[in-house]
Amino acid sequence: MNNRREFLIKSVLGMAGLSLLPGWSNGAPAIIRNYNKPDSKINGVQIGCITYSFRSLPDQSAEATLKYVTDCGINAIELMGGPAESFAGMPESTLDRRRMYQLAGKRRSGETLTDDEAKEFASLQEQAADYAKVVAAWRAKADFQKFEQVRKMYKDAGVSIYAFKPGAFSQNNTDAEIAYGMKAAKALGASHVTLEHPSDDAHTLKLGKMGEQHKISVAYHGHEQQTFTFWDTALAQSSRNALNFDAGHYIAAGHTDIMAFLEKHHKRILSMHTKDRQSPANGKGNLPWGTGDTPIVEILQKMQQSRYKFPASIELEHQIPEGSDAIREVQKCLEYCRKALA
């Protein structure tokens, strides 16, 4: 390893020396500009990460999130709303979002909340509703230059933002908030926004048309309600409606036709959440990669062979082992991808 590092450093220094020679192109060569920056595009397949994967870590600022991403070796991401919006000055909330996500996830997985948990979840939802009013007022006056600054900060570190997921696109959000979310995504350099599929045809029609107006795509995410035809109505409504597919949830829903699904929809999939879940017969669990039923290796190799353009976003949802943390687990997932695509 030391020999390889020394060779690379000497090569870079040698290239830097060449830049002083007459006729050398203006600016540092690409190898120097990109030296020591993350690179998770593996043999033609872009491996990314949704920053939700780092929710267990204490600092959720834009700066800390960027460090988590680069420490993992990731160079492209789906950015959750929190880091960017806090950087832009959104009022802070005392809401325990981690607990809210935990309880919401428990409900989504089919588990029954205890009476105390149900009361706690109801209280958290009430707090969230009050805070939403404060956020809507702030978004009406948001400074989009702040989002451009986030884009530059990430780009300078070698990280591009391909998707943005703020809580701004539900039926409870105003048209002004939806427009804000789309404008913020464009300022961040994203090609699409992501949200949970609302299961509301009128709303997907509205979002698609607003996407056309703002020239940004809207990619809908699904959980275990995903089916082969789940997105068909939204896709027919607008060329700006698209998929934020989740391979792990698709397997947990009991489907065995995932390769055919990818072949049918790959042109409309803008990003894909990647995790290892079990089939219903095996318990639907979220497991460390390589131990569940999601055919991650086959999916990645299919993307490589067929030259699919969408990124595979690592989404850390399995339990973090004692002695590890989110960064180490995402690193393991990336290494799994490297081996699959070697």
Side-chain angles (χ1 to χ4, degrees):
M1 178 65 78
N2 288 336
N3 289 338
R4 182 176 181 276
R5 187 180 293 112
E6 289 173 6
F7 171 77
L8 184 55
I9 292 172
K10 288 177 181 178
S11 297
V12 170
L13 291 174
M15 294 285 280
L18 285 175
S19 68
L20 302 176
L21 296 177
W24 188 261
S25 61
N26 291 330
I31 190 172
I32 296 174
R33 290 198 305 271
N34 296 325
Y35 179 63
N36 210 29
K37 289 184 178 179
D39 184 4
S40 56
K41 189 167 187 178
I42 307 168
N43 292 329
V45 178
Q46 178 65 66
I47 305 300
C49 181
I50 178 170
T51 58
Y52 173 74
S53 298
F54 306 114
R55 64 197 177 279
S56 62
L57 299 175
D59 190 343
Q60 294 295 303
S61 67
E63 295 88 347
T65 299
L66 175 58
K67 189 173 189 307
Y68 303 151
V69 172
T70 56
D71 283 351
C72 290
I74 301 287
N75 74 332
I77 59 168
E78 176 183 350
L79 182 63
M80 296 295 288
E85 291 185 304
S86 63
F87 184 92
M90 189 171 77
E92 291 186 17
S93 169
T94 57
L95 178 67
D96 187 348
R97 291 193 177 278
R98 281 187 226 164
R99 181 59 174 162
M100 189 170 179
Y101 288 142
Q102 183 184 43
L103 293 173
K106 190 173 180 179
R107 282 181 30 156
R108 277 200 307 267
S109 65
E111 294 184 57
T112 302
L113 300 182
T114 66
D115 289 344
D116 286 344
E117 287 176 333
K119 290 178 182 177
E120 181 184 8
F121 189 58
S123 175
L124 289 169
Q125 287 181 308
E126 185 176 344
Q127 292 175 48
D130 290 339
Y131 179 60
K133 296 174 184 176
V134 174
V135 169
W138 173 80
R139 285 171 171 166
K141 301 177 182 179
D143 181 359
F144 293 105
Q145 288 185 342
K146 292 290 186 180
F147 293 98
E148 292 173 358
Q149 290 173 21
V150 172
R151 175 184 184 176
K152 183 179 186 305
M153 175 171 60
Y154 278 55
K155 183 179 179 181
D156 288 347
V159 177
S160 64
I161 300 167
Y162 52 76
F164 185 45
K165 190 172 187 176
F169 305 116
S170 77
Q171 296 97 319
N172 296 325
N173 293 111
T174 64
D175 287 6
E177 283 188 278
I178 293 170
Y180 148 87
M182 292 181 173
K183 290 175 183 177
K186 291 191 73 173
L188 289 166
S191 67
H192 59 290
V193 299
T194 58
L195 69 149
E196 303 304 314
H197 194 298
S199 298
D200 180 332
D201 293 346
H203 196 58
T204 55
L205 176 61
K206 174 200 272 192
L207 292 175
K209 295 304 178 184
M210 290 187 72
E212 292 172 18
Q213 178 186 347
H214 292 283
K215 296 182 172 57
I216 194 160
S217 295
V218 184
Y220 302 96
H221 181 254
H223 288 263
E224 290 178 34
Q225 82 273 42
Q226 293 177 136
T227 66
F228 201 87
T229 59
F230 179 61
W231 286 268
D232 284 3
T233 298
L235 296 180
Q237 289 173 332
S238 171
S239 61
R240 284 293 183 176
N241 279 341
L243 286 74
N244 175 228
F245 179 56
D246 193 302
H249 291 326
Y250 196 77
I251 295 300
H255 304 302
T256 59
D257 56 0
I258 193 166
M259 294 304 177
F261 182 93
L262 294 175
E263 288 179 5
K264 176 185 176 183
H265 289 296
H266 68 90
K267 291 182 179 179
R268 303 291 292 274
I269 297 174
L270 297 185
S271 51
M272 178 185 72
H273 288 187
T274 311
K275 62 174 69 76
D276 205 347
R277 288 199 67 181
Q278 295 171 309
S279 66
N282 292 326
K284 298 187 177 183
N286 273 298
L287 300 180
W289 287 26
T291 63
D293 296 318
T294 308
I296 296 175
V297 172
E298 291 83 354
I299 290 170
L300 294 176
Q301 291 177 351
K302 174 68 174 175
M303 292 173 66
Q304 182 182 51
Q305 293 159 7
S306 300
R307 299 183 180 181
Y308 292 161
K309 302 298 184 185
F310 59 86
S313 308
I314 294 169
E315 182 176 29
L316 179 63
E317 289 212 294
H318 65 261
Q319 184 173 351
I320 297 174
E322 186 175 349
S324 187
D325 59 24
I327 293 172
R328 291 173 187 166
E329 293 306 301
V330 171
Q331 288 172 339
K332 291 176 187 176
C333 294
L334 180 59
E335 182 59 26
Y336 188 88
C337 295
R338 291 194 189 282
K339 290 179 179 178
L341 295 165

